[in-house]
Coordinates of all heavy atoms in Angstrom, one line a residue:
M1 N 48.4 93.2 113.6 CA 48.8 91.8 113.5 C 50.4 91.8 113.5 O 51.0 92.5 112.8 CB 48.2 91.2 112.2 CG 48.7 89.8 111.9 SD 47.6 89.2 110.6 CE 48.1 87.5 110.8
A2 N 50.9 90.9 114.2 CA 52.4 90.7 114.3 C 52.9 90.0 113.1 O 52.2 89.2 112.5 CB 52.7 89.9 115.5
S3 N 54.1 90.4 112.6 CA 54.7 89.8 111.5 C 55.2 88.4 111.9 O 55.6 88.2 113.0 CB 55.8 90.7 110.9 OG 56.8 90.9 111.9
P4 N 55.2 87.5 110.9 CA 55.7 86.1 111.2 C 57.2 86.1 111.5 O 57.9 87.0 111.0 CB 55.3 85.3 110.0 CG 55.2 86.3 108.9 CD 54.8 87.6 109.6
P5 N 57.6 85.2 112.3 CA 59.1 85.2 112.6 C 59.9 84.8 111.4 O 59.3 84.1 110.5 CB 59.2 84.1 113.7 CG 58.0 83.2 113.5 CD 56.9 84.2 113.0
N6 N 61.1 85.3 111.3 CA 62.0 85.0 110.2 C 62.4 83.5 110.3 O 63.2 83.2 111.2 CB 63.2 85.9 110.2 CG 64.0 85.8 109.0 OD1 63.7 85.0 108.1 ND2 65.1 86.6 108.9
A7 N 61.9 82.7 109.5 CA 62.2 81.2 109.5 C 63.6 80.9 109.1 O 64.1 79.9 109.5 CB 61.2 80.4 108.7
T8 N 64.1 81.7 108.2 CA 65.5 81.4 107.8 C 66.4 82.6 108.1 O 66.0 83.8 107.9 CB 65.5 81.2 106.2 OG1 65.0 82.3 105.6 CG2 64.7 80.0 105.9
E9 N 67.6 82.3 108.4 CA 68.6 83.4 108.7 C 69.8 83.1 107.8 O 70.1 81.9 107.5 CB 69.0 83.4 110.1 CG 68.0 83.9 111.1 CD 68.5 84.0 112.5 OE1 69.7 84.2 112.7 OE2 67.7 83.9 113.4
M10 N 70.4 84.1 107.3 CA 71.6 84.0 106.5 C 72.7 83.4 107.4 O 73.0 84.0 108.4 CB 72.0 85.3 105.9 CG 71.0 85.8 104.8 SD 70.8 84.6 103.4 CE 72.4 84.6 102.8
P11 N 73.4 82.4 106.9 CA 74.6 81.9 107.6 C 75.7 83.0 107.5 O 75.7 83.8 106.6 CB 74.9 80.6 106.9 CG 74.4 80.7 105.6 CD 73.2 81.6 105.7
P12 N 76.7 82.9 108.4 CA 77.8 83.8 108.3 C 78.6 83.6 106.9 O 78.6 82.5 106.4 CB 78.7 83.4 109.4 CG 77.9 82.6 110.4 CD 76.8 82.0 109.5
V13 N 79.1 84.7 106.4 CA 79.8 84.6 105.1 C 80.9 83.6 105.1 O 81.1 83.0 104.1 CB 80.2 86.0 104.7 CG1 81.4 86.5 105.5 CG2 80.6 86.0 103.2
E14 N 81.6 83.5 106.2 CA 82.7 82.5 106.2 C 82.2 81.1 106.0 O 82.9 80.2 105.5 CB 83.6 82.7 107.4 CG 82.9 82.5 108.7 CD 82.4 83.9 109.3 OE1 82.3 84.9 108.5 OE2 82.0 83.9 110.5
V15 N 81.0 80.8 106.5 CA 80.4 79.5 106.3 C 80.1 79.3 104.8 O 80.4 78.2 104.2 CB 79.2 79.3 107.2 CG1 78.5 78.0 106.9 CG2 79.6 79.3 108.7
V16 N 79.4 80.3 104.2 CA 79.1 80.2 102.8 C 80.3 80.0 102.0 O 80.4 79.1 101.1 CB 78.2 81.4 102.4 CG1 78.0 81.4 100.9 CG2 76.9 81.5 103.2
L17 N 81.3 80.9 102.1 CA 82.5 80.8 101.3 C 83.3 79.6 101.6 O 84.0 79.1 100.7 CB 83.3 82.1 101.4 CG 82.7 83.3 100.7 CD1 83.5 84.6 100.9 CD2 82.6 83.0 99.2
G18 N 83.3 79.1 102.8 CA 84.1 77.9 103.2 C 83.5 76.7 102.4 O 84.3 75.9 101.9
E19 N 82.2 76.7 102.3 CA 81.6 75.6 101.5 C 81.9 75.8 100.0 O 82.1 74.8 99.3 CB 80.1 75.6 101.8 CG 79.7 75.1 103.2 CD 78.2 75.1 103.4 OE1 77.4 75.3 102.5 OE2 77.9 74.9 104.6
V20 N 81.9 77.0 99.6 CA 82.3 77.3 98.1 C 83.7 76.8 97.9 O 83.9 76.1 96.9 CB 82.1 78.8 97.8 CG1 82.7 79.1 96.5 CG2 80.6 79.1 97.8
V21 N 84.6 77.1 98.8 CA 86.0 76.7 98.6 C 86.1 75.2 98.5 O 86.8 74.6 97.7 CB 86.9 77.3 99.7 CG1 88.3 76.7 99.7 CG2 87.0 78.8 99.6
A22 N 85.4 74.5 99.5 CA 85.4 73.1 99.5 C 84.8 72.5 98.2 O 85.4 71.6 97.6 CB 84.7 72.5 100.7
S23 N 83.7 73.1 97.7 CA 83.1 72.6 96.5 C 84.0 72.8 95.3 O 84.1 71.9 94.4 CB 81.8 73.3 96.2 OG 80.9 72.9 97.2
L24 N 84.6 74.0 95.2 CA 85.6 74.2 94.1 C 86.8 73.3 94.1 O 87.3 72.8 93.1 CB 86.0 75.7 94.1 CG 85.0 76.7 93.9 CD1 85.5 78.1 94.1 CD2 84.5 76.6 92.4
T25 N 87.2 73.0 95.3 CA 88.4 72.0 95.5 C 88.0 70.7 95.0 O 88.7 70.0 94.2 CB 88.8 72.0 96.9 OG1 89.2 73.3 97.4 CG2 89.9 71.0 97.1
F26 N 86.8 70.2 95.3 CA 86.3 68.9 94.9 C 86.2 68.9 93.4 O 86.6 67.9 92.7 CB 85.0 68.5 95.5 CG 85.1 68.2 97.0 CD1 84.2 68.7 97.9 CD2 86.2 67.5 97.5 CE1 84.3 68.5 99.3 CE2 86.3 67.2 98.9 CZ 85.3 67.8 99.8
A27 N 85.6 69.9 92.8 CA 85.4 70.0 91.4 C 86.8 70.0 90.6 O 86.9 69.4 89.6 CB 84.6 71.3 91.0
A28 N 87.7 70.8 91.2 CA 89.0 70.8 90.5 C 89.7 69.5 90.5 O 90.3 69.1 89.5 CB 89.9 71.8 91.3
H29 N 89.6 68.7 91.6 CA 90.1 67.3 91.6 C 89.4 66.5 90.5 O 90.1 65.7 89.8 CB 89.8 66.7 93.0 CG 90.9 66.9 94.0 ND1 92.2 66.5 93.9 CD2 90.9 67.6 95.1 CE1 92.9 66.8 94.9 NE2 92.1 67.6 95.7
A30 N 88.1 66.7 90.3 CA 87.4 65.9 89.3 C 87.9 66.3 87.9 O 88.0 65.4 87.0 CB 85.9 66.1 89.4
Y31 N 88.3 67.5 87.6 CA 88.9 68.0 86.3 C 90.3 67.5 86.2 O 90.7 67.1 85.1 CB 88.8 69.5 86.2 CG 87.5 70.0 85.8 CD1 86.7 70.6 86.7 CD2 87.0 69.9 84.5 CE1 85.4 71.1 86.4 CE2 85.8 70.4 84.1 CZ 85.0 71.0 85.0 OH 83.8 71.5 84.7
I32 N 91.0 67.4 87.2 CA 92.4 66.9 87.2 C 92.5 65.4 86.9 O 93.3 64.9 86.1 CB 93.2 67.2 88.5 CG1 93.4 68.7 88.6 CG2 94.5 66.5 88.5 CD1 93.9 69.2 89.9
D33 N 91.6 64.7 87.6 CA 91.6 63.2 87.5 C 90.2 62.7 87.3 O 89.6 62.1 88.2 CB 92.2 62.6 88.7 CG 92.6 61.1 88.6 OD1 92.6 60.7 87.4 OD2 92.7 60.5 89.6
P34 N 89.6 62.9 86.0 CA 88.3 62.5 85.8 C 88.1 61.0 85.8 O 89.0 60.2 85.4 CB 88.0 63.1 84.4 CG 89.3 63.2 83.8 CD 90.3 63.5 84.9
A35 N 86.9 60.6 86.2 CA 86.6 59.2 86.3 C 86.3 58.7 84.8 O 85.7 59.4 84.0 CB 85.3 58.9 87.1
P36 N 86.7 57.5 84.5 CA 86.5 56.9 83.2 C 85.0 56.8 83.0 O 84.2 56.5 83.9 CB 87.2 55.6 83.2 CG 88.0 55.5 84.4 CD 87.5 56.6 85.4
R37 N 84.5 56.9 81.7 CA 83.1 56.8 81.4 C 83.0 55.6 80.4 O 83.7 55.6 79.4 CB 82.6 58.0 80.8 CG 82.4 59.1 81.8 CD 81.7 60.3 81.2 NE 82.2 61.5 81.7 CZ 82.6 62.6 81.1 NH1 82.5 62.6 79.8 NH2 83.1 63.6 81.7
D38 N 82.1 54.7 80.7 CA 81.9 53.6 79.8 C 83.2 52.9 79.3 O 83.4 52.6 78.2 CB 81.0 54.0 78.6 CG 79.7 54.5 79.0 OD1 79.1 54.0 80.0 OD2 79.2 55.5 78.3
Q39 N 84.1 52.7 80.3 CA 85.4 52.1 80.0 C 86.3 52.9 79.1 O 87.2 52.3 78.5 CB 85.1 50.7 79.6 CG 84.3 49.9 80.5 CD 84.6 48.4 80.6 OE1 85.4 47.9 79.8 NE2 83.9 47.7 81.5
L40 N 86.0 54.1 78.9 CA 86.8 55.0 78.1 C 87.6 56.0 79.0 O 87.0 56.5 79.9 CB 86.0 55.8 77.1 CG 85.2 55.0 76.0 CD1 84.4 55.9 75.2 CD2 86.2 54.2 75.1
E41 N 88.8 56.2 78.7 CA 89.6 57.1 79.5 C 89.2 58.5 79.2 O 88.9 58.8 78.0 CB 91.1 57.0 79.2 CG 92.0 56.1 80.1 CD 91.7 56.3 81.6 OE1 92.0 57.4 82.2 OE2 91.3 55.3 82.2
V42 N 89.0 59.3 80.1 CA 88.6 60.7 79.9 C 89.9 61.6 80.2 O 90.5 61.4 81.3 CB 87.5 61.1 80.8 CG1 87.1 62.6 80.6 CG2 86.3 60.2 80.6
S43 N 90.2 62.5 79.3 CA 91.3 63.4 79.5 C 91.1 64.4 80.6 O 90.0 65.0 80.7 CB 91.7 64.1 78.2 OG 92.0 63.1 77.2
P44 N 92.1 64.7 81.4 CA 91.9 65.8 82.3 C 91.8 67.2 81.6 O 92.3 67.3 80.5 CB 93.2 65.8 83.1 CG 94.2 64.9 82.4 CD 93.4 64.1 81.4
D45 N 91.1 68.0 82.3 CA 90.9 69.4 81.8 C 91.7 70.3 82.8 O 91.1 70.8 83.7 CB 89.4 69.8 81.7 CG 89.2 71.1 81.0 OD1 90.2 71.9 80.9 OD2 88.1 71.4 80.6
L46 N 93.0 70.4 82.5 CA 93.8 71.2 83.5 C 93.6 72.7 83.5 O 93.7 73.3 84.5 CB 95.3 70.9 83.2 CG 95.7 69.4 83.4 CD1 97.1 69.2 83.1 CD2 95.3 68.9 84.8
D47 N 93.1 73.2 82.3 CA 92.8 74.6 82.3 C 91.6 74.9 83.2 O 91.5 75.9 83.9 CB 92.5 75.1 80.9 CG 93.7 75.1 80.0 OD1 94.8 75.2 80.6 OD2 93.6 74.9 78.8
A48 N 90.5 74.1 83.1 CA 89.4 74.2 84.0 C 89.8 74.1 85.5 O 89.3 74.9 86.3 CB 88.3 73.2 83.6
A49 N 90.6 73.1 85.7 CA 91.1 72.9 87.1 C 91.9 74.1 87.6 O 91.7 74.5 88.8 CB 92.0 71.7 87.2
E50 N 92.7 74.7 86.8 CA 93.4 75.9 87.2 C 92.5 77.1 87.5 O 92.7 77.8 88.5 CB 94.4 76.3 86.0 CG 95.3 77.5 86.4 CD 96.2 77.8 85.3 OE1 96.1 77.3 84.2 OE2 97.1 78.7 85.5
M51 N 91.5 77.2 86.7 CA 90.5 78.3 87.0 C 89.8 78.1 88.4 O 89.7 79.0 89.2 CB 89.4 78.4 86.0 CG 89.8 79.0 84.7 SD 88.5 79.3 83.6 CE 88.6 77.8 82.6
L52 N 89.4 76.9 88.6 CA 88.8 76.5 89.9 C 89.8 76.7 91.1 O 89.4 77.3 92.1 CB 88.3 75.1 89.9 CG 87.1 74.8 89.0 CD1 86.9 73.3 88.8 CD2 85.9 75.6 89.4
I53 N 91.0 76.3 90.9 CA 92.0 76.5 91.9 C 92.2 78.0 92.2 O 92.3 78.4 93.4 CB 93.3 75.8 91.5 CG1 93.2 74.3 91.5 CG2 94.5 76.2 92.5 CD1 94.3 73.6 90.8
D54 N 92.3 78.8 91.2 CA 92.5 80.2 91.4 C 91.3 80.9 92.1 O 91.5 81.7 93.1 CB 92.6 80.9 90.0 CG 94.0 80.7 89.3 OD1 94.9 80.1 90.0 OD2 94.1 80.9 88.1
V55 N 90.1 80.5 91.8 CA 88.9 81.1 92.4 C 88.9 80.6 93.9 O 88.6 81.4 94.8 CB 87.7 80.8 91.7 CG1 86.4 81.2 92.4 CG2 87.7 81.4 90.3
A56 N 89.1 79.3 94.1 CA 89.1 78.8 95.5 C 90.2 79.5 96.3 O 89.9 79.8 97.5 CB 89.3 77.3 95.4
G57 N 91.3 79.7 95.8 CA 92.4 80.3 96.5 C 92.1 81.7 96.9 O 92.3 82.2 98.0
R58 N 91.5 82.4 96.0 CA 91.1 83.8 96.2 C 90.0 83.9 97.3 O 90.1 84.8 98.2 CB 90.6 84.5 94.9 CG 90.2 85.9 95.1 CD 91.4 86.8 95.3 NE 90.9 88.2 95.4 CZ 91.1 89.0 96.4 NH1 91.8 88.6 97.4 NH2 90.6 90.2 96.4
A59 N 89.0 83.0 97.2 CA 87.9 83.0 98.2 C 88.5 82.7 99.6 O 88.2 83.3 100.6 CB 86.9 82.0 97.8
F60 N 89.4 81.7 99.6 CA 90.1 81.4 100.9 C 90.8 82.5 101.5 O 90.8 82.8 102.7 CB 91.0 80.2 100.7 CG 91.7 79.8 102.0 CD1 91.1 79.2 103.0 CD2 93.1 80.1 102.1 CE1 91.8 78.9 104.2 CE2 93.8 79.8 103.2 CZ 93.2 79.2 104.3
D61 N 91.6 83.2 100.6 CA 92.3 84.4 101.1 C 91.4 85.5 101.7 O 91.8 86.1 102.7 CB 93.1 85.1 99.9 CG 94.3 84.2 99.4 OD1 94.7 83.3 100.2 OD2 94.8 84.5 98.3
R62 N 90.2 85.6 101.2 CA 89.3 86.6 101.7 C 88.7 86.2 103.0 O 88.4 87.1 103.8 CB 88.2 86.9 100.7 CG 88.6 87.6 99.4 CD 88.9 89.0 99.7 NE 87.6 89.7 99.8 CZ 87.4 90.7 100.7 NH1 88.3 91.1 101.5 NH2 86.2 91.2 100.8
I63 N 88.5 84.9 103.3 CA 87.8 84.5 104.6 C 88.7 84.0 105.6 O 88.3 83.8 106.8 CB 86.7 83.5 104.3 CG1 87.3 82.2 103.7 CG2 85.7 84.1 103.4 CD1 86.3 81.1 103.7
Q64 N 90.0 83.7 105.3 CA 90.8 82.9 106.3 C 90.9 83.6 107.6 O 91.0 82.9 108.6 CB 92.2 82.6 105.7 CG 93.1 83.8 105.5 CD 94.4 83.3 105.0 OE1 94.9 82.3 105.3 NE2 95.0 84.2 104.1
T65 N 91.0 84.9 107.7 CA 91.1 85.6 109.0 C 89.8 85.4 109.8 O 89.9 85.6 111.0 CB 91.4 87.1 108.8 OG1 90.4 87.7 108.1 CG2 92.8 87.2 108.1
R66 N 88.7 85.1 109.2 CA 87.4 84.9 109.9 C 87.1 83.5 110.3 O 86.1 83.2 111.0 CB 86.3 85.5 109.1 CG 86.5 87.0 108.8 CD 85.4 87.5 107.9 NE 84.1 87.5 108.6 CZ 83.1 88.3 108.3 NH1 83.2 89.1 107.2 NH2 82.0 88.3 108.9
L67 N 88.0 82.6 109.9 CA 87.8 81.2 110.2 C 88.4 80.8 111.6 O 89.4 81.4 112.0 CB 88.4 80.3 109.1 CG 87.8 80.4 107.7 CD1 88.6 79.7 106.7 CD2 86.4 80.0 107.7
Q68 N 87.8 79.7 112.1 CA 88.4 79.1 113.3 C 89.7 78.4 112.9 O 89.9 78.0 111.7 CB 87.5 78.1 113.9 CG 86.2 78.7 114.5 CD 86.5 79.6 115.6 OE1 87.3 79.4 116.5 NE2 85.8 80.8 115.6
P69 N 90.7 78.3 113.8 CA 92.0 77.7 113.4 C 91.9 76.4 112.7 O 92.6 76.1 111.7 CB 92.8 77.7 114.7 CG 92.2 78.7 115.6 CD 90.7 78.8 115.2
Q70 N 91.0 75.5 113.2 CA 90.9 74.2 112.7 C 90.3 74.3 111.2 O 90.7 73.5 110.4 CB 89.9 73.3 113.5 CG 90.2 73.2 115.0 CD 89.5 74.4 115.7 OE1 89.6 75.5 115.4 NE2 88.9 74.0 116.8
E71 N 89.3 75.1 111.0 CA 88.7 75.3 109.7 C 89.8 75.9 108.7 O 89.9 75.4 107.6 CB 87.5 76.2 109.8 CG 86.4 75.7 110.6 CD 85.3 76.7 110.9 OE1 85.7 77.9 111.1 OE2 84.1 76.4 110.9
R72 N 90.5 76.9 109.2 CA 91.5 77.5 108.3 C 92.6 76.4 107.9 O 93.0 76.4 106.8 CB 92.2 78.7 109.1 CG 93.2 79.4 108.2 CD 93.7 80.7 108.9 NE 94.0 80.6 110.3 CZ 93.2 81.2 111.3 NH1 92.1 81.8 111.0 NH2 93.6 81.0 112.5
S73 N 93.0 75.6 108.9 CA 94.0 74.6 108.6 C 93.5 73.6 107.6 O 94.2 73.2 106.7 CB 94.5 73.9 109.9 OG 95.2 74.8 110.7
A74 N 92.3 73.2 107.8 CA 91.7 72.1 106.9 C 91.6 72.6 105.5 O 91.9 71.9 104.6 CB 90.3 71.7 107.5
L75 N 91.1 73.9 105.3 CA 90.9 74.4 104.0 C 92.3 74.7 103.4 O 92.5 74.4 102.2 CB 90.1 75.7 104.0 CG 88.6 75.5 104.1 CD1 87.9 76.8 104.2 CD2 88.0 74.7 103.0
A76 N 93.2 75.2 104.1 CA 94.6 75.5 103.6 C 95.2 74.2 103.2 O 95.9 74.1 102.1 CB 95.4 76.2 104.7
R77 N 95.1 73.1 104.0 CA 95.7 71.8 103.7 C 95.1 71.3 102.4 O 95.7 70.7 101.5 CB 95.5 70.9 104.8 CG 96.4 69.7 104.9 CD 96.3 68.9 106.2 NE 95.0 68.9 106.9 CZ 94.7 69.6 108.0 NH1 95.5 70.4 108.5 NH2 93.5 69.5 108.5
S78 N 93.8 71.4 102.3 CA 93.0 70.9 101.1 C 93.5 71.6 99.8 O 93.8 71.0 98.8 CB 91.5 71.1 101.3 OG 90.8 70.7 100.1
L79 N 93.7 73.0 99.9 CA 94.1 73.7 98.8 C 95.6 73.4 98.4 O 95.9 73.3 97.2 CB 94.0 75.2 99.0 CG 92.6 75.8 98.8 CD1 92.5 77.2 99.4 CD2 92.2 75.8 97.4
T80 N 96.4 73.2 99.4 CA 97.8 72.8 99.2 C 97.9 71.5 98.5 O 98.6 71.3 97.5 CB 98.6 72.8 100.5 OG1 98.6 74.1 101.1 CG2 100.1 72.4 100.3
D81 N 97.2 70.5 99.0 CA 97.1 69.2 98.4 C 96.7 69.3 96.9 O 97.2 68.6 96.0 CB 96.2 68.2 99.1 CG 96.8 67.8 100.5 OD1 98.0 68.0 100.7 OD2 96.0 67.3 101.3
L82 N 95.6 70.1 96.7 CA 95.1 70.2 95.3 C 96.1 70.9 94.4 O 96.4 70.4 93.3 CB 93.8 71.1 95.4 CG 93.3 71.5 94.0 CD1 92.8 70.3 93.2 CD2 92.1 72.5 94.2
R83 N 96.8 71.9 94.9 CA 97.8 72.6 94.1 C 99.0 71.6 93.7 O 99.5 71.6 92.6 CB 98.3 73.8 94.8 CG 97.3 74.9 94.8 CD 97.7 76.1 95.6 NE 96.8 77.2 95.5 CZ 96.4 78.0 96.5 NH1 96.9 77.7 97.8 NH2 95.6 79.0 96.4
L84 N 99.4 70.8 94.7 CA 100.5 69.8 94.4 C 100.0 68.8 93.4 O 100.8 68.4 92.5 CB 100.9 69.2 95.7 CG 101.7 70.0 96.7 CD1 101.9 69.3 98.1 CD2 103.0 70.4 96.1
T85 N 98.8 68.3 93.5 CA 98.3 67.4 92.6 C 98.2 68.0 91.2 O 98.6 67.3 90.2 CB 96.9 66.9 93.0 OG1 96.9 66.3 94.3 CG2 96.3 65.9 92.0
Y86 N 97.8 69.2 91.1 CA 97.7 69.9 89.8 C 99.1 70.0 89.2 O 99.3 69.8 88.0 CB 97.1 71.3 90.0 CG 97.2 72.2 88.8 CD1 96.3 72.0 87.8 CD2 98.2 73.1 88.7 CE1 96.4 72.8 86.6 CE2 98.3 73.9 87.6 CZ 97.4 73.8 86.5 OH 97.5 74.6 85.4
V87 N 100.1 70.5 90.0 CA 101.5 70.6 89.5 C 102.0 69.3 89.0 O 102.7 69.2 87.9 CB 102.4 71.3 90.5 CG1 103.8 71.2 90.1 CG2 102.0 72.7 90.8
K88 N 101.8 68.2 89.7 CA 102.3 66.9 89.3 C 101.6 66.5 88.0 O 102.3 65.9 87.1 CB 102.0 65.9 90.4 CG 102.9 66.0 91.6 CD 102.5 65.0 92.7 CE 103.2 65.2 94.0 NZ 102.8 64.4 95.1
K89 N 100.3 66.7 87.9 CA 99.6 66.3 86.7 C 100.1 67.2 85.5 O 100.2 66.7 84.4 CB 98.1 66.4 86.9 CG 97.3 65.8 85.9 CD 97.4 64.3 86.0 CE 96.2 63.6 85.3 NZ 96.1 62.2 85.6
R90 N 100.3 68.4 85.7 CA 100.7 69.3 84.7 C 102.1 69.0 84.2 O 102.5 69.3 83.1 CB 100.6 70.8 85.2 CG 101.0 71.9 84.3 CD 100.2 72.2 83.1 NE 99.0 73.0 83.4 CZ 98.1 73.3 82.5 NH1 98.2 72.9 81.2 NH2 97.1 74.0 82.8
G91 N 102.9 68.5 85.2 CA 104.3 68.2 84.8 C 105.2 69.3 84.9 O 106.2 69.4 84.2
L92 N 104.9 70.3 85.8 CA 105.7 71.5 85.9 C 106.8 71.3 86.9 O 106.8 70.6 87.8 CB 104.8 72.7 86.4 CG 103.7 73.1 85.5 CD1 102.8 74.1 86.1 CD2 104.2 73.6 84.2

């Protein structure tokens, strides 16, 4: 009896990590500028944002050579914007 075809294949690692970098970037923005809850101001958690930025940057460094130029530029731009937002919020 023949084995069934493999219905799922693993995506390339650069796709997986690219999505991780994008998710970490979005999460870091949420920690830097949290949405108010029930009309109460929520304080930013800049330490959490810094951790996310560090991990996203490291993941990007590992995959950037495997990305298409447009993908590399988009992720690099996103990380740069995030880092600038963080520095402004931190007041450094």
